[in-house]
Amino acid sequence: MPIPITRHAHPSLGLNSQKFFGSFFQKRTFFLLFFLLSLVFFSEVASRAHLSAPPPTPFLTDRHGQFLAQFGDVQDGRTEYGYWMLRTVPDRIARATVALEDRRFALHPGVDPYAIARAVWQHLTGGRSGASTIAMQVARMQHPEARNPASKIMEAATAILMTARYGRAGVLEQYLRLAPFGQDSHGIAYAARWYFDRPVSDLSWAQIALLAAIPQSPGVYNLDYPQGLKRAKARAVLALGRLYGQRVMDRPDYQEALADLAALKPRTYPARQPDALHAILAIQALNANAPVELVHSTIDLGLERDVTKIARLRLAELSGHGARQVAVIVADRASMGVLALVGSGHYGARNDGEIDYALRWRSPGSTLKPFIFAQALDLHVISSDSVLLDAPDSGTGVDNADRRYLGPLLAAQALGNSRNVPAASLVRLDGLDESQWFLAELGLNDGLAQPGRYGLTLAIG
């Protein structure tokens, strides 16, 4: 009798296959997720590993080099200054910066493993040490964000790629353009002008060392305060010591730099020049779209102050007669450069002091009368001995400002006394078309309006 055979599945076969395929799919999912995250990470790193900076901001001086104003770039509600480009990085500045900020700069690819290990060890033993390289600082300055492990990893990767792309020289140049130097200023070229009023190539060893000390903590090393200046000088001494130890400086230069540093006093500035504020705003408008770093204006600051004082005294004298504002422009006749510009009595005062009356379009008054008389002489309408009538019944319909009439006058007397009626008579004799054409030829009229728009009042503005 045949014995029936019952086929039994191995009790573990189904479970093993599920584990196998489940493990396979888990691994594949893990690697796919890892690949996607890596792709996102490296795409972000690639987008950050470039050199970018805000446009340079202008520094304004008067014709003698005295400070007038600085024009800033508003970022996130805060005004920042500087960002001047360095055409070349002076060797002394490069060495001082590297001595303080990244002593192994020439040895690592953008991230310093030795500095990282040292920082980790000091953190574990209760100490404190930074590991940011110059390249990492550039990455952080270009893309500032909260400090945490993730941001540090992003900075490190960006620094490596940035160094590979632009080289150490390009990264150092970018650092010296972006680094903060206190008082909302950035870049060593701007700091050289701001603190020492000189181009960056003319800085002494002491000045270089002092400036190199600031970026680590601009608030702590604020040169505007005695304690900040003292701390900055102490860090500058450290920089000079390292440079001497590296034999970048010989002993006489080192001792001279220490002596210079002890006596060094950076320049300080007023917040603004209120006596020249309208002139400053006018210059800012002229240079609004020009990428100019150092602007030497034609303004003479001393003359500006004197003219402002005189204008205010005159306004006070005439205020009882209804005068509300005053404006003055003083120009050099040879160059036509504006030496002083007073736009109003007081910028912040009542009676619309913020309006620049010196540059507002308004009636020229009697300014055109000499040209009208000159045209009449040129056309032989009058001569030096001609007599003009200053009377209310001249037929011009024009009155004198003082409502007085002097009767018959020689042409020179009529012009010298700025009489409206004789001037209007000459416009009528010369002809409106001819008068407007003559003024346009002299650059005093754009020639766009029809002569009839002004009529005989062309003579009085």
Side-chain angles (χ1 to χ4, degrees), residues 337-417:
V338 176
L339 303 179
L341 185 151
V342 179
S344 67
H346 291 273
Y347 185 86
R350 292 183 298 176
N351 298 330
D352 303 317
E354 295 184 7
I355 296 174
D356 187 347
Y357 293 95
L359 299 181
R360 281 296 179 97
W361 288 99
R362 61 190 184 280
S363 168
S366 297
T367 306
L368 300 179
K369 285 178 183 173
F371 302 101
I372 291 170
F373 276 79
Q375 183 191 21
L377 287 168
D378 189 53
L379 295 175
H380 304 292
V381 172
I382 60 171
S383 62
S384 59
D385 57 355
S386 295
V387 176
L388 302 176
L389 182 62
D390 182 24
D393 56 352
S394 63
T396 61
V398 174
D399 294 325
N400 291 321
D402 57 7
R403 298 296 190 271
R404 297 173 57 204
Y405 303 92
L406 304 181
L409 297 170
L410 289 172
Q413 292 176 318
L415 178 59
N417 287 276

Side-chain angles (χ1 to χ4, degrees), residues 38-367:
S38 299
L39 184 62
V40 171
F41 175 77
F42 286 112
S43 296
E44 179 65 18
V45 169
S47 68
R48 293 185 179 209
H50 62 281
L51 304 182
S52 63
T57 65
F59 185 97
L60 176 64
T61 71
D62 81 340
R63 66 192 300 113
H64 305 297
Q66 293 189 63
F67 171 75
L68 279 178
Q70 56 176 344
F71 305 135
D73 179 56
V74 180
Q75 300 181 32
D76 299 325
R78 184 171 180 173
T79 305
E80 306 283 350
Y81 305 94
Y83 302 107
W84 290 8
M85 292 185 64
L86 279 172
R87 275 65 185 180
T88 57
V89 178
D91 182 67
R92 294 193 299 177
I93 289 175
R95 289 180 179 273
T97 302
V98 169
L100 280 181
E101 296 293 336
D102 192 351
R103 281 184 284 177
R104 292 167 51 83
F105 179 71
L107 303 176
H108 60 71
V111 174
D112 188 353
Y114 173 81
I116 293 174
R118 182 190 61 202
V120 171
W121 173 253
Q122 291 193 1
H123 177 74
L124 293 175
T125 57
R128 185 178 180 183
S129 176
S132 290
T133 62
I134 286 175
M136 291 174 68
Q137 292 181 60
V138 171
R140 183 167 62 249
M141 287 187 287
Q142 293 187 162
H143 297 277
E145 54 191 10
R147 306 298 299 277
N148 53 55
S151 66
K152 295 294 288 184
I153 292 172
M154 181 64 71
E155 285 174 13
T158 303
I160 293 172
L161 182 55
M162 190 182 296
T163 303
R165 276 183 177 176
Y166 302 102
R168 292 181 177 87
V171 170
L172 179 59
E173 181 181 326
Q174 182 73 349
Y175 171 84
L176 290 170
R177 183 180 182 184
L178 296 179
F181 283 88
Q183 302 174 41
D184 297 322
S185 65
H186 297 263
I188 196 166
Y190 191 85
R193 181 62 62 180
W194 177 253
Y195 290 113
F196 301 115
D197 191 28
R198 61 179 59 192
V200 69
S201 57
D202 290 347
L203 292 174
S204 68
W205 271 121
Q207 292 167 336
I208 290 170
L210 187 65
L211 292 180
I214 299 174
Q216 185 187 61
S217 182
V220 173
Y221 304 114
N222 190 332
L223 303 188
D224 252 8
Y225 298 98
Q227 287 303 314
L229 178 58
K230 182 178 179 180
R231 287 189 288 263
K233 285 187 175 183
R235 184 164 165 79
V237 169
L238 173 63
L240 292 174
R242 289 179 177 176
L243 292 169
Y244 176 60
Q246 296 167 2
R247 298 184 180 181
V248 175
M249 306 172 66
D250 57 23
R251 188 166 185 80
D253 285 345
Y254 173 61
Q255 292 177 333
E256 181 182 357
L258 289 177
D260 290 345
L261 180 63
L264 197 58
K265 292 183 179 179
R267 294 202 314 175
T268 57
Y269 297 87
R272 65 179 186 182
Q273 294 287 353
D275 290 343
L277 193 50
H278 277 118
I280 289 169
L281 294 174
I283 296 169
Q284 182 181 24
L286 289 173
N287 291 277
N289 298 317
V292 181
E293 296 173 352
L294 184 61
V295 180
H296 291 292
S297 72
T298 59
I299 295 293
D300 185 319
L301 188 54
L303 180 62
E304 179 77 27
R305 289 169 178 153
D306 292 341
V307 172
T308 300
K309 183 178 180 180
I310 294 170
R312 288 174 178 171
L313 288 173
R314 187 59 175 162
L315 179 60
E317 292 171 359
L318 296 176
S319 60
H321 299 281
R324 296 176 57 192
Q325 278 298 349
V326 62
V328 184
I329 294 179
V330 180
D332 177 49
R333 288 195 303 172
S335 65
M336 294 305 293
V338 176
L339 303 179
L341 185 151
V342 179
S344 67
H346 291 273
Y347 185 86
R350 292 183 298 176
N351 298 330
D352 303 317
E354 295 184 7
I355 296 174
D356 187 347
Y357 293 95
L359 299 181
R360 281 296 179 97
W361 288 99
R362 61 190 184 280
S363 168
S366 297
T367 306

